């Protein structure tokens, strides 16, 4: 064994005591205690030990079975024989499996949930006497791990520890592989990231099955039925995952979506958040559907792929431009998730617009400088005709020239330009912006005059090359061209000339 170690060989070892018929020691137990256990204690890579006799045909087939099992169902990743305990990675995987099996999330596996687990993993029902024996085995080591309500999580972990101690680690592996774990006790990459192609000019959205899953998940974890998920309820919900998605943390969830008076995300905000995640990063949604158990079938080992929770939209058709630069839609919008960017000078009311969109006071914002970084808000809105859609509002600062390129704007449905109606210089930022970045003219646009509660003032506007400009004849993409045709225009006049709707106050 030291020689194998010096060679860097890291494979399971089966220790076989041959010619057991010639041994003078009378009992196998004595052989195991005196010879095998000390060697196994010194060399942890030894998976199992066995006595054989070819002459007497004793345990010959069993040797090959142990060799096969040592490769296909290794004990080393699961169990630490020195400490006689399951390894942390194994415990973590079993905790997630317990979470998925505990369908009512009461912290116990009821008899029905145990039966469903048995059928899913082993393909056959569990008899009542067998279930009673399992419970008694657990209670023998931990009396409080089994109650009238069922088996606790610690009891479930203990049961698998007993499997490992009794050499039944193939049972643990069967459970783990049923729930898509690899030999390294990580979830299979193909399970977390299944093939799901989104065609060009299309987007991903939640299907009815996906919406239903997230609705059920919300209702299941809203234990106090207050219509919101508190931090502790969110922690319990995301227990089988790596935590909140990175995108959510970057967007300051849950402040980026709809919350109740206590500051907890509501069902409306919860669904809007997942709609936005699916729209911007469908792979993230697919991974979390896998973590949270969407694919799990309660009564069989058959799995429903997570891709059924998503759907793709028809390719978007960019509407054509009229001679007055008016953007007209050639067909009704069939998508249920729309995206808008908010552009405006610093202090032009972008934050207030986001707060109003989320039905919150305008002062309800963290105290850091929002003008220096993008902000996002997502909510559901009702279109004319009663159709409900999810709208993603992203606020972009123009002070740090963070205007997206035309390629990045391909997925945007509308641009909202905000200006402070009480600041005479606010609107000129927008006209200069549109002159500097001609590709902005190719996006449907709406101007919003903010701070209407203050006295409105005349805007000091200068438009470069304004005469009939259709967005493609701007003088120089950087706004440094000839100032021919320069004249002052008020917002209403400017939008009329551009073929746009008058500013909304």
């Amino acid at each position: 064994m030291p020689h194998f170690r010096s060679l860097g060989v890291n494979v399971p070892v089966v220790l076989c005591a041959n010619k057991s018929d010639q041994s003078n020691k009378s009992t196998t137990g004595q052989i195991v205690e005196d010879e095998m256990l000390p060697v196994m204690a010194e060399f942890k890579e030894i998976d199992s030990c066995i006595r054989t006799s070819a002459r007497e045909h004793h345990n010959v087939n069993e040797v090959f079975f142990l060799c096969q099992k040592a490769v296909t169902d290794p004990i080393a990743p699961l169990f630490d024989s020195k400490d006689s305990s399951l390894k942390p990675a194994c415990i973590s995987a079993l905790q997630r499996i317990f979470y998925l099996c505990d369908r009512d999330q009461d912290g116990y596996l009821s008899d029905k949930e145990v039966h469903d687990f048995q059928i899913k993993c082993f393909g056959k029902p569990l008899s009542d006497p067998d279930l009673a024996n399992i419970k008694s085995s657990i209670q023998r080591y931990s009396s409080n791990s089994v109650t009238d309500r069922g088996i606790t999580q610690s009891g479930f972990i203990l049961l698998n520890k007993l499997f490992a101690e009794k050499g039944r680690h193939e049972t643990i592996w069967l459970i783990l592989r049923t729930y898509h774990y690899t030999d390294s006790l990580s979830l299979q990459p193909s399970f977390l990231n299944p093939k799901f192609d989104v065609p060009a000019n299309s987007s991903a959205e939640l299907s009815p099955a996906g919406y239903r899953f997230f609705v059920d998940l919300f209702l299941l974890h809203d234990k106090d039925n207050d219509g919101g998920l508190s931090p502790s309820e969110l922690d319990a919900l995301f227990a089988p995952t790596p935590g909140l998605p990175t995108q959510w943390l970057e967007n300051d969830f849950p402040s980026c979506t709809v919350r109740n008076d206590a500051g907890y995300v509501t069902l409306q905000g919860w669904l809007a958040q997942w709609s936005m995640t699916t729209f911007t990063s469908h792979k993230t949604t697919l991974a979390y559907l896998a973590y949270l158990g969407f694919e799990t079938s309660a009564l069989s080992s058959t799995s429903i792929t997570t891709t059924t929770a998503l759907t793709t939209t028809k390719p978007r058709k960019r509407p054509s431009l009229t001679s007055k630069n008016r953007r007209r839609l050639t067909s009704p919008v069939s998508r249920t998730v729309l995206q808008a960017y908010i552009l405006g000078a610093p202090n032009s009311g972008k934050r207030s617009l986001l707060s109003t969109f989320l039905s919150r006071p305008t002062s309800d914002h963290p105290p850091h400088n929002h003008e220096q970084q993008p902000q996002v808000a997502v909510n559901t809105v009702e279109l004319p005709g009663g159709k409900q859609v999810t709208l993603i509002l992203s606020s972009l600062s123009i002070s740090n020239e963070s205007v997206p390129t035309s390629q990045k704007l391909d997925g945007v449905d509308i641009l909202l330009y905000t200006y402070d109606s009480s600041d005479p210089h606010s609107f000129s930022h927008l006209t200069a912006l549109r002159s500097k970045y001609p590709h902005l003219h190719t996006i449907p646009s709406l101007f919003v005059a903010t701070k209407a509660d203050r006295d409105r003032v005349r805007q000091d506007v200068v438009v470069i090359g304004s005469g009939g400009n259709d967005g493609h004849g701007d003088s120089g993409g950087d706004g440094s061209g000839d100032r021919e045709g320069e004249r002052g225009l008020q917002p209403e006049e400017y939008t009329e000339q551009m073929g746009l709707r008058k500013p909304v106050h």
Side-chain angles (χ1 to χ4, degrees):
M1 294 301 298
H3 177 66
F4 291 151
R5 284 184 175 181
S6 68
L7 296 176
V9 176
N10 185 23
V11 294
V13 174
V14 175
L15 186 59
C16 178
N18 293 322
K19 303 180 180 181
S20 61
D21 55 290
Q22 299 180 13
S23 174
N24 296 325
K25 296 183 179 180
S26 58
T27 63
T28 300
Q30 186 177 0
I31 294 289
V32 170
E33 182 176 354
D34 295 345
E35 299 179 5
M36 296 183 174
L37 290 182
V39 178
M40 293 185 69
E42 182 177 358
F43 302 101
K44 299 302 180 184
E45 55 267 49
I46 297 178
D47 187 86
S48 56
C49 297
I50 189 172
R51 298 182 72 205
T52 65
S53 171
R55 176 181 294 178
E56 297 179 353
H57 301 286
H58 176 63
N59 282 343
V60 176
N61 291 335
E62 285 76 0
V63 170
F64 294 103
F65 172 75
L66 288 176
C67 292
Q68 176 181 325
K69 189 171 72 167
V71 175
T72 60
D73 305 309
I75 186 64
L78 308 178
F79 191 71
D80 188 333
S81 57
K82 180 178 179 181
D83 297 332
S84 188
S85 62
L86 294 174
K87 292 188 175 180
C90 180
I91 293 176
S92 178
L94 292 172
Q95 286 173 337
R96 175 178 171 272
I97 293 172
F98 180 91
Y99 170 98
L100 299 179
C101 295
D102 182 18
R103 295 192 169 273
D104 56 5
Q105 289 298 299
D106 66 346
Y108 298 88
L109 292 185
S110 65
D111 288 357
K112 182 181 184 308
E113 289 169 339
V114 173
H115 281 293
D116 292 345
F117 166 78
Q118 168 76 16
I119 292 176
K120 179 176 178 62
C121 292
F122 306 103
K124 57 183 179 181
L126 189 67
S127 66
D128 291 339
D130 288 341
L131 179 57
N133 288 335
I134 289 175
K135 289 182 177 181
S136 63
S137 297
I138 297 173
Q139 285 180 309
R140 190 177 303 121
Y141 295 91
S142 178
S143 58
N144 59 355
S145 293
V146 178
T147 71
D148 293 339
R149 299 175 63 180
I151 301 173
T152 65
Q153 184 185 91
S154 61
F156 180 72
I157 302 297
L158 174 59
L159 176 63
N160 284 274
K161 177 176 177 288
L162 296 176
F163 289 152
E165 290 176 338
K166 295 178 179 179
R168 294 179 55 190
H169 38 282
E170 71 277 3
T171 301
I172 304 176
W173 277 116
L174 181 56
I175 294 170
L176 293 170
R177 287 165 180 154
T178 300
Y179 286 88
H180 305 282
Y181 282 92
T182 66
D183 290 350
S184 61
L185 296 182
S186 60
L187 287 170
Q188 297 171 1
S190 61
F191 173 60
L192 292 177
N193 187 23
K195 182 177 175 59
F196 186 83
D197 295 326
V198 179
N201 300 320
S202 297
S203 57
E205 296 182 354
L206 291 174
S207 68
Y211 274 111
R212 186 166 57 251
F213 174 78
F214 284 118
V215 168
D216 292 342
L217 200 63
F218 181 97
L219 298 177
L220 182 62
H221 286 84
D222 183 18
K223 297 297 185 181
D224 51 11
N225 296 316
D226 64 346
L229 294 180
S230 66
S232 60
E233 290 170 338
L234 280 172
D235 288 343
L237 190 155
F238 282 99
T241 75
L244 291 177
T246 302
Q247 180 191 49
W248 292 28
L249 297 175
E250 293 173 348
N251 292 337
D252 202 18
F253 174 84
S255 66
C256 61
T257 190
V258 185
R259 296 180 290 170
N260 61 17
D261 293 338
Y264 303 156
V265 60
T266 64
L267 178 59
Q268 178 180 343
W270 172 255
L271 295 177
Q273 186 74 19
W274 279 113
S275 295
M276 177 175 67
T277 304
T278 305
F279 179 84
T280 58
S281 177
H282 68 273
K283 291 184 178 180
T284 299
T285 300
L286 286 172
Y288 274 79
L289 285 165
Y291 286 128
L292 294 167
F294 173 83
E295 62 83 36
T296 304
S297 176
L299 297 179
S300 72
S301 59
T302 303
S303 295
I304 304 171
T305 176
T306 53
T307 56
T308 60
L310 271 58
T311 185
T312 57
T313 64
K314 295 179 180 179
R316 73 171 67 218
K317 296 180 180 179
R318 284 297 191 190
S320 59
L321 291 165
T322 68
S323 61
K324 285 185 174 292
N325 196 36
R326 188 189 302 274
R327 200 66 190 265
R328 294 188 183 276
L329 294 175
T330 58
S331 61
V333 176
S334 60
R335 292 173 291 115
T336 62
V337 181
L338 305 177
Q339 186 173 36
Y341 282 162
I342 307 175
L343 297 172
N347 302 315
S348 63
K350 298 191 295 293
R351 284 189 293 164
S352 298
L353 188 62
L354 289 170
S355 292
T356 303
F357 180 58
L358 297 177
S359 303
R360 294 208 300 270
T362 57
S363 60
D364 188 15
H365 284 283
H368 56 272
N369 189 348
H370 285 266
E371 294 295 341
Q372 296 303 318
Q373 62 182 29
Q375 300 171 77
V376 176
V378 60
N379 198 356
T380 55
V381 296
E382 185 173 321
L383 299 180
K387 180 180 179 179
Q388 295 279 341
V389 299
T390 299
L391 177 61
I392 306 169
L393 284 183
S394 300
S395 173
L396 302 177
S397 171
I398 64 174
S399 62
N400 57 5
E401 300 183 354
S402 60
V403 175
T405 63
S406 57
Q407 184 178 2
K408 291 184 178 180
L409 288 172
D410 284 344
V412 175
D413 296 282
I414 189 170
L415 294 176
L416 300 181
Y417 294 94
T418 61
Y419 68 96
D420 181 355
S421 60
S422 66
D423 179 359
H425 306 293
S426 185
F427 192 79
S428 63
H429 282 272
L430 302 181
T431 57
L433 184 70
R434 287 168 61 87
S435 295
K436 185 175 182 180
Y437 299 100
H439 62 273
L440 296 179
H441 290 265
T442 65
I443 309 296
S445 302
L446 177 67
F447 285 79
V448 180
T450 62
K451 305 181 183 181
D453 55 312
R454 302 179 183 179
D455 292 336
R456 187 187 308 180
V457 299
R458 181 178 179 82
Q459 294 292 316
D460 182 13
V461 183
V462 173
V463 181
I464 301 174
S466 59
N469 194 331
D470 64 356
H472 295 281
D474 288 311
S475 57
D478 59 359
S480 61
D482 296 337
R483 303 179 68 85
E484 181 181 355
E486 178 180 298
R487 66 186 179 89
L489 288 176
Q490 291 307 293
E492 289 77 10
E493 298 172 314
Y494 176 84
T495 52
E496 182 178 2
Q497 179 176 299
M498 293 291 110
L500 302 172
R501 177 178 173 177
K502 291 183 178 181
V504 177
H505 292 267

